[in-house]
Amino acid sequence: MLSHSGRFFLPGDPGAENLQLSHESNEAMMRETISRLRRSFEEDCAAITGSENWKSVRDKYLAREGGLITGALKKLRELPKEERPAFGQAMNTLREFVEERLETRLQEVRAGERDRPAVDVTRPGFPLEFGSAHPIKSLQAEIEEIFVGMGFRVFDLPEIESDYYNFEALNMPPEHPARDAQDTFYFNAVQLLRTHCSSVQVHAMEALEPPIRAISTGKVFRRDPFDATHSPMFYQVDVIAVEEGLHMGHLKGMLDVFLKRVFHPGIKMRLRPGFFPFVEPGAEVDISCIFCSGRGCAKCKQSGWIEILGAGMVHPRVLEMSGIRDPRITGFAWGMGIDRVAILKYGVDDIRLFFDNDLRFLNQF
Ligand code: DAH
């Protein structure tokens, strides 16, 4: 006879704990327990519908704590010694069976989940947000197109530039005071984030033979604050033309054509003397105020003019450093902020709006 603690029973077997069992009836009870466990597992296993559900069935039978089979195996210890091997073996066979069936079922469930369509066609749809080109990118493309139409080659230049191309070859040797005006992000003594697109002058003269017509557009970086009128990253376009006999008249003529195309055909422009180390003579270029057509308003500080870009004839030293030594060959260059054009063209009063990625702003373009 066994004490009641030596019996096998499934949780919930009513009154089972009161039974006093002989060796034979204990064995019968054991077989019954095993076959009941097996039947209930087979039912649960067949009802599995997904991997979450699969996990709960696995845990129900095999969890270390509270698993039905694990629990039954633990109970083996309470059986008389001579009965343990036979029951132990039967339980282990059942456990292996359960493990195998679970594995097979998992493969089936996974395959089913893979085959199931990923879209629930009965579900109400989500509204789609439509994107659009960023206003500065559109303007950048528009500017490039104007120049391509005039036979210019577009250079795609690196944002990480060398000190040589950004400064030195543009007649700004180390310690040159003009470097201070472009507070620079340096990686080391040699590499920096370009502060302007003017290096296209040097790259173009190195890569091409006159007559040269080249532009480059893109991001430039300066250690400036991020406020309504400054940004540490903004966009520029820089232009160079090199050919025998080019002079300020050519520069003026092409600026006039370009500014009328970008703003509007009624725009006027004027050149004032200006200093940039890489041009001689240099000029600051103004356009007639686009808000008041030159009559004078708060935007142009009543002057009727708005400063828009820097320009000039390529400095002889810059030509020479880039390998152009024939004194008959001259060039003109100019550079402009694309964001600045966008601000004026679209009447935006805070440059940060272009970089905040607020769709309420961007969707207007
Ligand atoms: N690189 C100048 C700047 O970032 C702009 C500029 C001025 C470009 C005169 C030119 C130029 O090509 O001739 O402020």
Side-chain angles (χ1 to χ4, degrees):
M1 299 292 269
L2 274 176
S3 71
H4 75 267
S5 62
R7 283 177 323 95
F8 276 86
F9 61 91
L10 279 174
D13 279 354
E17 55 274 24
N18 301 323
L19 290 172
Q20 296 287 301
L21 297 169
S22 69
H23 181 73
E24 286 72 33
S25 60
N26 194 42
E27 207 179 300
M29 174 79 110
M30 183 68 202
R31 268 202 306 277
E32 171 60 16
T33 302
I34 287 177
S35 72
R36 242 198 293 162
L37 264 175
R38 190 182 160 119
R39 270 199 309 278
S40 95
F41 167 74
E42 279 178 331
E43 267 169 37
D44 287 346
C45 193
I48 289 174
T49 50
S51 35
E52 276 311 303
N53 184 217
W54 177 89
K55 273 186 205 139
S56 63
V57 173
R58 179 197 58 190
D59 293 344
K60 176 173 174 187
Y61 291 90
L62 296 177
R64 255 174 216 270
E65 295 296 328
L68 292 178
I69 292 180
T70 337
L73 274 164
K74 276 184 194 153
K75 286 248 180 234
L76 269 179
R77 268 181 257 129
E78 296 164 15
L79 280 177
K81 233 184 175 159
E82 63 281 9
E83 293 177 9
R84 282 183 212 165
F87 295 155
Q89 221 170 31
M91 284 304 299
N92 276 327
T93 311
L94 176 64
R95 192 183 54 190
E96 277 163 23
F97 167 76
V98 166
E99 283 171 351
E100 250 168 57
R101 283 294 306 275
L102 277 172
E103 186 52 40
T104 317
R105 195 75 192 100
L106 182 62
Q107 301 308 328
E108 291 166 2
V109 161
R110 283 200 179 136
E113 282 172 356
R114 264 200 308 276
D115 296 343
R116 196 181 305 150
V119 178
D120 175 359
V121 290
T122 63
R123 190 177 171 163
F126 301 102
L128 277 181
E129 289 276 3
F130 284 101
S132 58
H134 190 280
I136 298 217
K137 285 278 158 194
S138 306
L139 196 53
Q140 183 182 10
E142 192 183 321
I143 290 170
E144 286 186 1
E145 235 166 77
I146 294 175
F147 281 102
V148 169
M150 294 196 279
F152 279 69
R153 180 113 156 230
V154 180
F155 276 66
D156 188 10
L157 296 174
E159 288 166 7
I160 296 176
E161 189 52 283
S162 69
D163 186 277
Y164 178 78
Y165 284 103
N166 194 79
F167 287 130
E168 202 156 347
L170 289 168
N171 200 24
M172 281 185 274
E175 315 303 332
H176 192 289
R179 287 187 176 210
D180 296 346
Q182 303 187 354
D183 208 349
T184 311
F185 292 108
Y186 282 95
F187 293 101
N188 49 49
V190 183
Q191 285 176 302
L192 46 82
L193 282 173
R194 64 178 176 196
T195 57
H196 53 182
C197 280
S198 301
S199 63
V200 67
Q201 300 178 26
V202 186
H203 286 291
M205 285 192 280
E206 282 183 0
L208 309 170
E209 290 295 324
I212 295 167
R213 305 262 186 278
I215 70 156
S216 191
T217 67
K219 290 180 181 141
V220 301
F221 305 84
R222 294 186 195 174
R223 291 172 46 151
D224 281 341
F226 196 35
D227 59 30
T229 52
H230 298 87
S231 162
M233 184 281 292
F234 53 103
Y235 283 77
Q236 277 193 343
V237 48
D238 232 275
V239 182
I240 181 166
V242 179
E243 191 180 337
E244 189 178 330
L246 282 186
H247 53 70
M248 287 292 273
H250 296 112
L251 168 64
K252 269 189 88 169
M254 101 147 283
L255 279 174
D256 195 45
V257 169
F258 173 78
L259 293 170
K260 287 188 159 107
R261 285 279 294 275
V262 167
F263 290 101
H264 61 81
I267 213 94
K268 290 198 210 50
M269 69 162 200
R270 71 174 185 187
L271 271 64
R272 288 178 288 113
F275 173 76
F276 302 96
F278 35 91
V279 283
E280 178 58 36
E284 311 241 15
V285 180
D286 299 337
I287 52 168
S288 50
C289 178
I290 57 168
F291 302 105
C292 62
S293 306
R295 281 188 295 276
C297 68
K299 294 267 189 195
C300 59
K301 301 196 183 86
Q302 309 305 330
S303 73
W305 295 99
I306 290 182
E307 188 184 320
I308 186 75
L309 58 88
M313 297 305 294
V314 181
H315 197 291
R317 210 171 298 149
V318 174
L319 290 171
E320 194 187 318
M321 272 190 280
S322 298
I324 294 177
R325 299 206 168 78
D326 182 342
R328 289 168 302 177
I329 294 181
T330 52
F332 66 74
W334 56 270
M336 180 183 78
I338 297 179
D339 332 65
R340 176 129 179 85
V341 176
I343 280 176
L344 294 173
K345 217 171 138 102
Y346 305 126
V348 173
D349 56 10
D350 192 327
I351 192 175
R352 287 171 294 195
L353 286 165
F354 286 118
F355 306 122
D356 281 346
N357 284 337
D358 186 334
L359 287 178
R360 289 169 305 175
F361 173 75
L362 295 174
N363 278 340
Q364 299 174 67
F365 295 94

